[in-house]
Amino acid sequence: MLKNKTIGSMLIVAGTTIGAGMLALPIASAGLGFTTALALIVCSWLLMTYTALLMLELHQYAPRDATLNTLAKLWLGKKGQYIANFSMIFLFYALCAAYIAGGGVQLQDRINSGFNTNIAPQLGSVILAIVIASVVTLGTSKVDKFNRVLFTIKIIVLGSLFYMLSPYVQGKHLLEMPVEQGLLLSAIPVIFTSFGFHGSIPSIVKYVGLDIKVLRKVMIAGAALPLVIYIFWQLLSQGIMSQANLLNSEGLSGFVESVAGIAHNPNVAIAVKLFADLALATSFLGVSLGLFDFFADAFKKGDNKTDRIKTAFITFIPPLGFALFYPQGFIMALGYAAIALVVLAVFLPVAMVYKQRMSSDKTGYKVRSGNIGLGIAAVCGITIIAAQFMQMAGVIPAIG
């Protein structure tokens, strides 16, 4: 049973991480060259895996159902709790609203073409929100089962894409050097956010239990799977097109059209669309599960049917409202996603672990590298925020 939960939890981590944002990676790293992009991807993975393990170090001293709300209050007091809660709600509401709006358009398109109807995109958003909310409300085990099915199909689609595109990879494209240095800083926030899964960690701890050895496996393997997939994806996307052509691609749709044209295969575009649908669904599941459990902890809601329905309303109604009536709001909020994620996934774990280590000599699980590791993680976080602000100010190119 535990082994089953372990595998399912790994897939929740991987499914939350590999969202539709993966498709933006080739655009974000277009002018970097394969080697530089690979280095950034590996560094982002190391940072996020490290801070995920820091979260486990904290969870061993907290109740099994503790979320960031409880953890921040335990080690950082009321002020830390407010910062944690604001970051969590801001980022996850913005992400959920984006998934509902973007997924609603995708679902509307599939329904209209499949059933020869003409429903509005808003109806697609409502249907998507109801389906995901129903699965999340039923509990983590149901999310696990649903996610496994979607993730398996997603891997099959990705395998098909790799099979169709690998013959067109050219070594000379992979050896190209960065076009300009500013693009390196521009790519950092996009690549960093493509490894975000930390909001779902408390849900996994609650689901698996406080077995640190098992949870370490879940975090390391769950984050390693996206790393492997991202590397293969970069090999394909940067190997079949020159940097000049990648940079000239007009966003994601232009990139997909170019790739399909190079492969002389319209099925490539179909596979990319299907992958985008599945990636959005698995990532939406993981994000909303983390937000659901966060609100259940913050508002002290139980696991009975009535309380879970109330928590579902708090979790899904506001982002659905934003997606339907004020789409500009969440699009603007997503511009700050990297900053909120740095606070959530880097600064808070570093600060809480530092406080915990200073205030206690408990001999439990400790992530290696001591305070030096905490310092390096904090510097990385500052660099990401600086890159995001420089992009917003127009100092470096805006990409992704």
Side-chain angles (χ1 to χ4, degrees), residues 196-218:
F197 62 89
H198 291 56
S200 60
I201 292 175
S203 301
I204 289 165
V205 172
K206 183 181 174 183
Y207 183 47
V208 173
L210 285 164
D211 186 330
I212 297 298
K213 194 176 177 183
V214 171
L215 287 168
R216 278 186 82 251
K217 272 187 201 170
V218 168

Side-chain angles (χ1 to χ4, degrees), residues 44-174:
S44 297
W45 168 72
L46 283 170
L47 173 64
M48 294 300 257
T49 305
Y50 172 73
T51 57
L53 296 178
L54 290 181
M55 291 293 290
L56 298 187
E57 185 176 326
L58 294 165
H59 271 286
Q60 68 185 326
Y61 304 119
R64 178 173 171 166
D65 59 353
T67 64
L68 193 62
N69 171 66
T70 302
L71 296 175
K73 189 179 179 183
L74 274 172
W75 283 288
L76 301 177
K78 281 283 184 186
K79 283 183 182 176
Q81 186 186 23
Y82 293 146
I83 292 169
N85 289 356
F86 176 77
S87 302
M88 181 82 182
I89 294 166
F90 175 85
L91 177 63
F92 278 55
Y93 266 166
L95 287 173
C96 285
Y99 289 138
I100 290 168
V105 172
Q106 288 174 219
L107 186 60
Q108 173 227 19
D109 183 52
R110 307 299 176 263
I111 291 171
N112 285 349
S113 57
F115 296 96
N116 198 25
T117 57
N118 189 27
I119 68 164
Q122 289 86 348
L123 184 56
S125 295
V126 172
I127 293 168
L128 178 67
I130 289 170
V131 170
I132 298 294
S134 301
V135 176
V136 170
T137 305
L138 289 171
T140 307
S141 63
K142 295 294 184 292
V143 172
D144 179 3
K145 290 181 177 70
F146 192 45
N147 182 69
R148 285 184 200 212
V149 174
L150 295 178
F151 196 88
T152 304
I153 301 169
K154 187 160 75 171
I155 294 299
I156 292 167
V157 172
L158 265 178
S160 304
L161 263 176
F162 293 157
Y163 176 76
M164 288 186 281
L165 296 177
S166 55
Y168 301 94
V169 173
Q170 296 182 46
K172 65 178 182 180
H173 295 326
L174 298 174

Side-chain angles (χ1 to χ4, degrees), residues 366-391:
K366 275 189 181 179
V367 184
R368 290 178 188 176
S369 76
N371 289 340
I372 294 172
L374 297 181
I376 292 170
V379 169
C380 290
I382 292 165
T383 305
I384 296 161
I385 287 180
Q388 182 75 65
F389 277 126
M390 287 167 74
Q391 207 174 94

Side-chain angles (χ1 to χ4, degrees), residues 15 34 81 133 148 350 356:
F34 175 72
Q81 186 186 23
R148 285 184 200 212
V350 165
Q356 190 277 318

Side-chain angles (χ1 to χ4, degrees), residues 212-268:
I212 297 298
K213 194 176 177 183
V214 171
L215 287 168
R216 278 186 82 251
K217 272 187 201 170
V218 168
M219 297 306 146
I220 293 168
L225 186 53
L227 173 68
V228 172
I229 289 171
Y230 288 170
I231 291 171
F232 275 107
W233 181 236
Q234 289 298 110
L235 265 170
L236 286 180
S237 60
Q238 293 191 295
I240 62 177
M241 293 171 71
S242 67
Q243 282 190 53
N245 288 338
L246 264 175
L247 284 166
N248 290 330
S249 295
E250 293 183 4
L252 179 58
S253 58
F255 166 71
V256 173
E257 282 174 23
S258 300
V259 170
I262 290 167
H264 308 293
N265 192 343
N267 290 331
V268 169

